[in-house]
Amino acid sequence: MNKFYLAISIICFVAINDGAKVSKGTQNIILTGRVTFPEGSPTPVEPDGKLTVELQDTSRADAPAKVIARGTSKVTKFPVAFGMKYSSNQITPGHTYSLHANIKNKKNKLLYTNDVRILVTPLNVNRKKPIEVPVILVKKANPGSKKSQWPELVGKKGNEAVQIIKKETGFTNVVLIKEGSPVTMDYNTGRVRITVNKQGIVTQTPMIS
């Protein structure tokens, strides 16, 4: 057994035996992983970043994502390890769960976020490797220029994303596209396409296209 999984085993043992009262059939779970930045430098653009990773229930298209657990840590370089603890009785069979990550600076400005949904099975305690959550650098618009992408909307309801983008841009041509649907290849500077799944949840970064 390598050092990583030995450490996780010890963490799990301590979490389950920390004196908390656990009902019969209920299990305390430690979910671990790491946030990666595959597109660039291992050094963040700002040295004072704070990582927040949430385990969310994203099953309902007519309701905001429900946060099940949250983990935070300081960011000095990539990859960034994270961990969070929750109880098995917080998980509903048949529901969809995903991880959402963001890194903000001391002024609470968003620096990095994941631009695709990371689906997870929260009751899988026998993972053979840590979960990886890749993030992208949120591009800052130059003064006087318009925002062209909205990675922070991944995981939100499609209809909510439409209203946010319309309010920020003044565009009227903000459309929802179901995953796998064919689209035209023309580029329109006044149009934003938002890809959603069957539950109406945004799964890719909306952008002007």
Side-chain angles (χ1 to χ4, degrees), residues 16-135:
I16 295 172
N17 295 276
D18 60 0
K21 294 182 179 179
V22 180
S23 5
K24 186 177 181 180
T26 299
Q27 182 180 11
N28 285 335
I29 300 171
I30 302 286
L31 186 151
T32 62
R34 61 180 193 168
V35 170
T36 62
F37 184 46
E39 298 179 359
S41 168
T43 305
V45 294
E46 295 189 33
D48 58 353
K50 178 182 178 181
L51 168 68
T52 301
V53 183
E54 294 179 340
L55 173 64
Q56 300 178 344
D57 183 336
T58 51
S59 302
R60 295 184 58 185
D62 60 344
K66 178 182 178 182
V67 177
I68 303 300
R70 180 182 291 113
T72 61
S73 64
K74 293 182 179 180
V75 182
T76 56
K77 64 178 181 179
F78 291 107
V80 190
F82 67 86
M84 62 189 78
K85 183 171 73 173
Y86 52 93
S87 173
S88 59
N89 62 11
Q90 295 176 265
I91 306 303
T92 303
H95 280 208
T96 301
Y97 295 89
S98 57
L99 292 176
H100 178 70
N102 64 61
I103 297 172
K104 296 182 179 181
N105 63 14
K106 290 183 178 179
K107 295 181 179 180
N108 207 37
K109 297 293 184 181
L110 183 65
L111 303 177
Y112 299 85
T113 189
N114 58 303
D115 63 338
V116 295
R117 278 212 308 167
I118 308 297
L119 296 173
V120 295
T121 304
L123 296 182
N124 179 11
V125 295
N126 296 313
R127 292 185 178 89
K128 295 183 178 179
K129 60 181 181 179
I131 298 172
E132 290 203 354
V133 182
V135 294

Side-chain angles (χ1 to χ4, degrees), residues 58 96 98 114-119 150-151 153-158 161 176-180 193-206:
T58 51
T96 301
S98 57
N114 58 303
D115 63 338
V116 295
R117 278 212 308 167
I118 308 297
L119 296 173
W150 291 263
L153 298 181
V154 173
K156 291 187 177 293
K157 295 184 295 181
L176 297 177
I177 305 293
K178 290 184 178 180
E179 285 181 322
R193 289 169 169 156
I194 304 174
T195 302
V196 296
N197 61 14
K198 292 180 181 180
Q199 290 76 40
I201 301 299
V202 180
T203 58
Q204 298 178 25
T205 297

